[in-house]
Amino acid sequence: MQNEAITLIIVLVSLLFFAGFLLRRISSGSLDVFDALSISLVLILPFGFLLFESVANELSLIIGVEFPFVLMFGMLFLFAFLMLMSLLMRMKSTEARIQKLAQELALERMEQDKKINKGKVHSSHGSRTHI
Amino acid sequence: MTQDSSSKLLIICPCFNEAETIGGLIAEIEALNEDFDILVVDDGSTDGTYEAAASKSMTVRLPVNLGVGGAVQTGYRYAVRHNYQYAIQIDGDGQHDPAFIRPLLNVMQQSKADLVVGTRYLEKIGFQSSFMRRSGARIIGYFTLLMFGFRPSDPTSGMRLANRSLIEAFNRDYPNDYPEPLSLCFALYNGYSVKEEPVVMRDRKAGSSSIMGIKSVSYMISIVTRICALRITKQRRGQDAE
């Protein structure tokens, strides 16, 4: 019982430190709230398993897993996989937006250069007739 | 270049490090004495391609290398902006003979097709590429037939002419990876009509293909997977992008 309490305190303290770290990141704008919550699952999930041990045991029995920690790691892997998938999809959409931006920028630059060159030709013609 | 290009054809030349060949290609196109506009899309070259092309024709310089799909789409964006009726893609490496632009345009105007693809495998004249690539093209062709009911003889051909409605669709959405076979499937799937016209392709004048050896096998597997995914998910990409 005492050992369990010590484990609980260790996980809780780690969770608080981690939460502090995440909050700092959120306030500085380098991490999105939703992303922070997703990352927090790495600690929240084991904490939940520790806090509600009997529920975890029941759940693993229902699913057919012998040890609750196998279920816990399975869930963590699933979350990690979902997070990775969401990140990849967001990366792809960002890539598409950057590509469109690069294309529009290049076309705009060409049009500007064309205008400048046209202007130069006109002004050189003008000075020639003036002379 | 005219302001209103509603009846005109734009030649899109995507280039990446083609300084040796691009000047000659532009000269060849100009020698045709046709009323076509050329747009060279320099896809972030480092060998002076931009300088070689800009002195002779309209040239867009992409700030970063986007790959052939991104470069070609830049051309379609330009074609939409300037109201071009037709746009043809011709590789900057000199493999495609500009003399075949007019025959492709004639086929499009007569058949009212939305996309006309220049194929090297119908009459088997000129550069025929390696056995691996030919086999890959055949497999991709059969998969396209299976999924979309049309068997392209040269699905990887980069010489293709699109009409206005397809230009607009490609402006909205054009595949980045494996653009030639996938854009063909995209056109077929969205109900655009596709025709093929035999052309003679030449061997590269400089550089080497990026798809060789074992890479051509992985290229083929990736394309086949993407074709199946496109068909199975029933995703009308052009409409989604809107």
Side-chain angles (χ1 to χ4, degrees):
Chain A
M1 194 67 195
Q2 201 186 358
N3 283 346
E4 269 180 32
I6 290 168
T7 317
L8 200 66
I9 289 163
I10 290 170
V11 174
L12 193 63
V13 169
S14 316
L15 192 65
L16 284 172
F17 269 110
F18 194 59
F21 169 76
L22 288 179
L23 282 173
R24 265 214 311 272
R25 293 277 155 205
I26 292 168
S27 64
S28 69
S30 55
L31 205 63
D32 187 56
V33 178
F34 179 74
D35 291 337
L37 273 172
S38 313
I39 294 165
S40 308
L41 282 171
V42 176
L43 270 180
I44 291 170
L45 206 66
F47 187 67
F49 268 73
L50 208 66
L51 208 60
F52 309 104
E53 205 184 326
S54 56
V55 179
N57 282 327
E58 285 294 318
L59 204 66
S60 51
L61 274 175
I62 292 165
I63 292 170
V65 180
E66 199 174 348
F67 303 105
F69 76 88
V70 176
L71 179 68
M72 186 187 79
F73 278 105
M75 284 172 83
L76 280 174
F77 271 118
L78 182 72
F79 279 121
F81 174 76
L82 288 174
M83 261 177 67
L84 185 72
M85 206 171 77
S86 139
L87 273 174
L88 285 173
M89 280 161 67
R90 274 157 65 181
M91 216 167 78
K92 200 77 189 160
S93 114
T94 310
E95 187 190 314
R97 276 187 291 168
I98 290 171
Q99 173 170 313
K100 192 175 175 188
L101 187 71
Q103 289 171 330
E104 293 292 340
L105 190 79
L107 285 171
E108 232 14 85
R109 198 171 151 190
M110 187 185 73
E111 305 277 4
Q112 286 296 321
D113 285 349
K114 227 157 54 178
K115 272 182 199 165
I116 291 166
N117 287 337
K118 228 180 223 176
K120 271 183 192 167
V121 170
H122 281 303
S123 64
S124 68
H125 279 297
S127 60
R128 227 179 280 157
T129 43
H130 182 73
I131 288 162
Chain B
M1 212 220 61
T2 51
Q3 284 302 305
D4 179 26
S5 317
S6 55
S7 62
K8 288 190 74 182
L9 180 142
L10 178 71
I11 301 170
I12 304 165
C13 296
C15 289
F16 178 65
N17 289 342
E18 309 284 3
E20 281 181 50
T21 54
I22 192 63
L25 180 68
I26 295 167
E28 264 189 273
I29 295 169
E30 281 170 350
L32 294 173
N33 273 326
E34 296 263 20
D35 194 18
F36 300 149
D37 289 337
I38 314 165
L39 178 74
V40 176
V41 185
D42 173 27
D43 193 13
S45 300
T46 51
D47 69 340
T49 299
Y50 177 77
E51 288 73 18
S55 56
K56 296 183 177 88
S57 78
M58 283 193 296
T59 308
V60 186
R61 184 184 224 166
L62 290 170
V64 284
N65 180 264
L66 298 180
V68 70
V72 171
Q73 196 186 28
T74 309
Y76 286 123
R77 284 194 195 287
Y78 183 85
V80 166
R81 276 187 184 194
H82 292 271
N83 206 24
Y84 280 91
Q85 197 62 37
Y86 306 102
I88 187 163
Q89 180 192 333
I90 281 193
D91 289 352
D93 58 13
Q95 272 197 304
H96 302 148
D97 187 346
F100 286 96
I101 297 173
R102 177 54 71 181
L104 290 185
L105 186 60
N106 289 341
V107 169
M108 176 166 277
Q109 285 172 336
Q110 281 158 16
S111 65
K112 303 281 175 212
D114 297 299
L115 182 72
V116 180
V117 181
T119 167
R120 76 199 102 166
Y121 300 135
L122 273 182
E123 290 190 350
K124 294 188 172 129
I125 310 167
F127 176 66
Q128 294 291 299
S129 131
S130 67
F131 172 75
M132 287 283 270
R133 283 195 72 166
R134 279 202 312 275
S135 309
R138 204 164 288 158
I139 294 167
I140 294 164
Y142 281 122
F143 262 91
T144 310
L145 172 71
L146 196 70
M147 297 290 157
F148 303 103
F150 175 84
R151 195 197 147 217
S153 58
D154 194 358
T156 57
S157 166
M159 191 176 194
R160 45 190 55 210
L161 174 70
N163 69 2
R164 179 72 195 174
S165 82
L166 203 53
I167 290 171
E168 282 171 10
F170 284 157
N171 166 59
R172 287 191 297 269
D173 191 15
Y174 196 77
N176 262 342
D177 313 314
Y178 326 109
E180 284 89 11
L182 290 182
S183 60
L184 185 69
C185 291
F186 161 79
L188 287 167
Y189 191 66
N190 286 284
Y192 293 100
S193 54
V194 178
K195 282 254 170 209
E196 286 191 310
E197 174 70 6
V199 294
V200 178
M201 288 195 193
R202 304 178 286 210
D203 200 358
R204 297 179 155 263
K205 287 178 181 165
S208 59
S209 172
S210 56
I211 308 154
M212 288 172 85
I214 195 79
K215 215 174 169 184
S216 55
V217 179
S218 71
Y219 177 85
M220 191 204 64
I221 294 168
S222 306
I223 292 170
V224 165
T225 314
R226 290 281 292 271
I227 290 172
C228 296
L230 184 67
R231 187 71 188 88
I232 293 162
T233 55
K234 297 186 176 179
Q235 187 189 8
R236 289 183 181 247
R237 302 180 58 185
Q239 287 168 14
D240 286 352
E242 274 180 290

